Amino acid sequence: MAPEESAEAARLLPSFERRFLAARTLRSFPWQSLEEKLRDSSGPELLLNILQKTVKHPLCVKHPPSVKYARCFLSELIRKPSGDSVTLSESTAIVSHGTTGLVTWDAALYLAEWAIENPSAFAHRIVLELGSGAGLTGLAICKTCCPSTYIFSDYHTCVLEQLRGNILLNGLSLEPDTTDPARHPEHNAYNSESPRVTVAHLDWDVVTTPELAAFQPDVIIAADVLYCPETVLSLVRVLQRLSACLKNQQAPEAYIAFTIRNPETCQLFTSELGRAGIPWEAVPHHNQKLFPYEEHSDMKILKLML
């Protein structure tokens, strides 16, 4: 960064710091000046410096602002010069309408951060997400990792309705319901500026291997779906079926992110993977922390070799 650009960025940082610590309205922040600096200088370095002066400021670490305020701020901050950002509608209740899928959980944020740091894992590939919930992880991947096709999936009607709304809210085109995925021809992302985005109603306990194979996934992801033994067993069964979905003589890759709340549940997951003959390895922790979640949460991502 040139000396004059560095001086201008240094003047911008205190402005963000003062407003964030005072919890000022987001429209009062100098977003236009920030966008100009991102076009003219080292964007990632400037964004990381702003993070250190706001969300990761020592005062905020000791006395965190409201999660809603921090998330709204970060939604604006990670906006690229092109205008990309992720906007979500979600429930304020942990459990609503008999499901936990209407709110974004920490492992979804953690997996989204890893994906943003590792876009090559998804670029020009067909991604199937199991248990998409509010859709944050998938929306982040669609906007930053260039997948050819992204298939969101969930089971609960209210979750699917909110999920479709969030996809449209973020300016992505939504194709018809893929309950019968064989009806939809393969999409070639190399001739498209944005991924083909679909939503599937997926019941892990009844979906068949041919139905899963029709999605033709290259990569499978899931976040925060290990919340009870019954769900763990259902997940492993559906992963077994997906392991038979060969594409060009290769099985898909899978990345499962979770928060270790109950070690016994996590142990059950790895034990059942062993019983199913699915090898796995832990993915190293990534460097960036872009989203607000509990600093001391024990979160992991496992890469499964289906």
Side-chain angles (χ1 to χ4, degrees), residues 66-76 90 104 106 109 292:
S66 74
V67 172
K68 182 179 180 181
Y69 182 78
R71 283 187 179 175
C72 289
F73 173 78
L74 285 168
S75 179
E76 288 292 330
E90 59 182 356
T104 300
D106 285 356
L109 302 171

Side-chain angles (χ1 to χ4, degrees), residues 216-237:
Q216 298 187 323
D218 298 301
V219 185
I220 297 149
I221 67 168
D224 251 333
V225 294
L226 307 181
Y227 47 84
C228 69
E230 292 77 14
T231 303
V232 169
L233 297 176
S234 294
L235 175 61
V236 172
R237 284 194 293 266

Side-chain angles (χ1 to χ4, degrees), residues 127-207:
V127 183
L128 169 62
E129 182 178 8
L130 303 174
S132 299
L136 182 140
T137 304
L139 291 168
I141 290 173
C142 286
K143 293 202 169 195
T144 63
C145 301
C146 302
S148 65
T149 298
Y150 199 95
I151 304 159
F152 295 85
S153 75
D154 217 294
Y155 172 72
H156 199 284
T157 302
C158 292
V159 175
L160 292 169
E161 181 180 350
Q162 177 180 265
L163 183 55
R164 292 188 185 98
N166 282 335
I167 292 168
L168 297 175
L169 188 62
N170 283 272
L172 295 171
S173 298
L174 183 60
E175 296 200 0
D177 194 329
T178 59
T179 303
D180 180 6
R183 295 182 307 170
H184 304 284
E186 186 174 358
H187 175 74
N188 186 350
Y190 296 99
N191 298 320
S192 175
E193 293 182 359
S194 61
R196 170 188 169 216
V197 177
T198 56
V199 173
H201 176 270
L202 209 59
D203 185 336
W204 297 352
D205 291 324
V206 301
V207 67

